[in-house]
Amino acid sequence: MSDFLTVSREAHDTLVSKLYQARGFTADESAEGARLAAEAARHGIRTHHALKALHLDHLFGSATGGCTPGAEIEVVESPFKASETWNANRKLGQSVAYRAIDRCIELADEFGIGQVSVDNAFHYLWGGGYVMEAAERGYIAYTNCTSALAEVVPFGGKFPTLGTNPHSWGFPTTDAVGFPLVSDWATSVVAMGRVQALKREGQPLPPNAAVDKDGNPTTDPNEVAALLPFGAHKGYAMCLLNELYGALIGGSLPTLRGRAAQAPEGEKTTTAFYFQVIHPDAISGSAFAKGRDQMENLKQVLADIFGHGNEGCILPGQFEAEARQRSDAAGGLHFTAAEIAEFNELAAEIGAPGLEAM
């Protein structure tokens, strides 16, 4: 962590909340935006912390009509007791996502499973943060979303018609391995947030991750025009799944999403979210070997997978758990000097105190 400085979480949350409120967001929305940003930084997710969130809001959100501060969620009438569909009315994505995962948990407690689909949404940033929270509370959770822009070229194609379209899974494994297993990934080789981070750091992209404006492969983050799906046709299929979910929920055409100025009258340009939470008891067959209970069986299965010489393998969510330990031990959040400087430029714009290294 020698390249990072530590700032207090309280100072971070206060500044980020003020920056959101200066853009017209309510105190609750601003606090939720700061909360997700802080948790991303706490867990080492540098591609989706506050700078990314505020940058997205400036480009596609409150400054352009893509996100509406103070908007109210409308719950659409449904005949399905364990399912809800929401019209987010372009409310801040983090606020919607926190409410959606909480509602899914309430439904799962009653029905064993709960799902919430969200139309007319704005980017919720780090999907792993929401499923991680549910997993820490003892549930299995999943979310996907359509990304703010079409930035990914479909396998075998030339033009970006897909989003980076992340998938996020969380499992309640804290008792088994010390932290929830969280599988959270963009379906592109790298997320666009990573491209922006590498640009700030003056570092190259990995090969076969992106193309320039002419469709040629590039590792220069300054030349990136579009991204490529991971795993060739397999990653492409995973990427496509989010667009299918979005289409069934009511989502917009991918190439128009986030581009209101290019959309014909009557077309939508908003994103769509999907959340699902499962109560572990709801999938239990209760016939575990040697008298084990469900969680002990989970622990034994993981021990078998990561035994036999595999003890050094990385677990999904392990890097984030280790980053969280480092952050908590330092008593704050880690940022580079360049990131702190960028925070302080934003603070100066609204006359707020900036961040200082502890």
Side-chain angles (χ1 to χ4, degrees):
M1 299 299 293
S2 59
D3 294 333
F4 292 85
L5 302 172
T6 305
V7 303
S8 81
R9 172 152 185 177
E10 181 180 4
H12 167 275
D13 289 2
T14 297
L15 174 57
V16 175
S17 292
K18 286 181 178 179
L19 289 167
Y20 272 118
Q21 289 183 66
R23 301 178 183 194
F25 291 97
T26 67
D28 284 349
E29 290 172 329
S30 300
E32 287 158 336
R35 173 186 169 192
L36 191 278
E39 286 300 310
R42 182 187 181 201
H43 289 86
I45 309 298
R46 298 180 54 240
T47 58
H48 285 76
H49 59 44
L51 293 177
K52 166 79 171 188
L54 293 164
H55 184 62
L56 275 175
D57 177 64
H58 175 71
L59 290 178
F60 308 110
S62 61
T64 62
C67 183
T68 304
E72 295 291 334
I73 296 168
E74 174 192 357
V75 180
V76 180
E77 186 175 350
S78 170
F80 303 106
K81 293 182 179 180
S83 304
E84 289 187 2
T85 301
W86 296 0
N87 177 359
N89 286 311
R90 302 177 187 247
K91 188 176 181 68
L92 186 69
Q94 300 94 306
S95 295
V96 175
Y98 276 127
R99 287 162 171 75
I101 207 74
D102 284 345
R103 182 57 181 149
C104 283
I105 288 173
E106 292 174 354
L107 292 168
D109 282 341
E110 184 173 359
F111 301 108
I113 188 170
Q115 63 178 1
V116 172
S117 60
V118 183
D119 196 10
N120 289 319
F122 182 69
H123 203 309
Y124 64 22
L125 278 301
W126 179 40
Y130 310 115
V131 299
M132 181 182 293
E133 180 166 315
E136 288 181 325
R137 292 162 66 178
Y139 300 88
I140 304 163
Y142 170 72
T143 182
N144 72 48
C145 70
T146 52
S147 299
L149 291 175
E151 300 173 311
V152 178
V153 177
F155 180 70
K158 299 179 180 179
F159 188 82
T161 57
L162 302 167
T164 52
N165 292 358
H167 292 259
S168 306
W169 280 100
F171 285 86
T173 58
T174 300
D175 288 345
V177 298
F179 54 89
L181 292 191
V182 174
S183 183
D184 172 55
W185 72 95
T187 46
S188 52
V189 175
V190 296
M192 192 57 78
R194 183 58 180 155
V195 175
Q196 293 164 352
L198 291 171
K199 186 184 297 186
R200 283 196 298 268
E201 297 163 5
Q203 298 294 321
L205 275 73
N208 302 314
V211 294
D212 62 19
K213 61 181 178 59
D214 298 316
N216 299 314
T218 182
T219 59
D220 183 349
N222 297 291
E223 298 297 323
V224 172
L227 303 173
L228 297 174
F230 81 91
H233 62 287
K234 296 180 181 179
Y236 158 61
M238 293 294 294
C239 187
L240 184 60
L241 286 178
N242 293 36
E243 300 294 351
L244 301 180
Y245 268 92
L248 293 168
I249 291 168
S252 54
L253 303 184
T255 55
L256 297 179
R257 198 164 54 238
R259 296 180 168 97
Q262 300 176 21
E265 184 177 355
E267 281 289 356
K268 296 164 69 172
T269 59
T270 49
T271 62
F273 304 155
Y274 176 77
F275 299 86
Q276 182 187 82
V277 169
I278 301 169
H279 195 298
D281 291 349
I283 61 171
S284 172
S286 300
F288 304 109
K290 294 185 176 294
R292 294 191 289 262
D293 64 19
Q294 187 184 44
M295 287 299 133
E296 179 61 24
N297 200 58
L298 175 64
K299 183 176 183 179
Q300 291 299 320
V301 167
L302 288 170
D304 189 42
I305 293 170
F306 295 100
H308 314 287
N310 295 332
E311 290 81 2
C313 290
I314 299 299
L315 295 169
Q318 181 175 332
F319 290 146
E320 291 80 359
E322 292 172 350
R324 174 174 173 165
Q325 289 178 342
R326 290 192 296 269
S327 296
D328 292 353
L333 305 175
H334 292 122
F335 295 102
T336 65
E339 288 170 336
I340 293 174
E342 193 169 340
F343 273 115
N344 292 343
E345 288 177 7
L346 294 172
E349 291 175 5
I350 63 169
L355 298 180
E356 296 182 1
M358 295 169 59

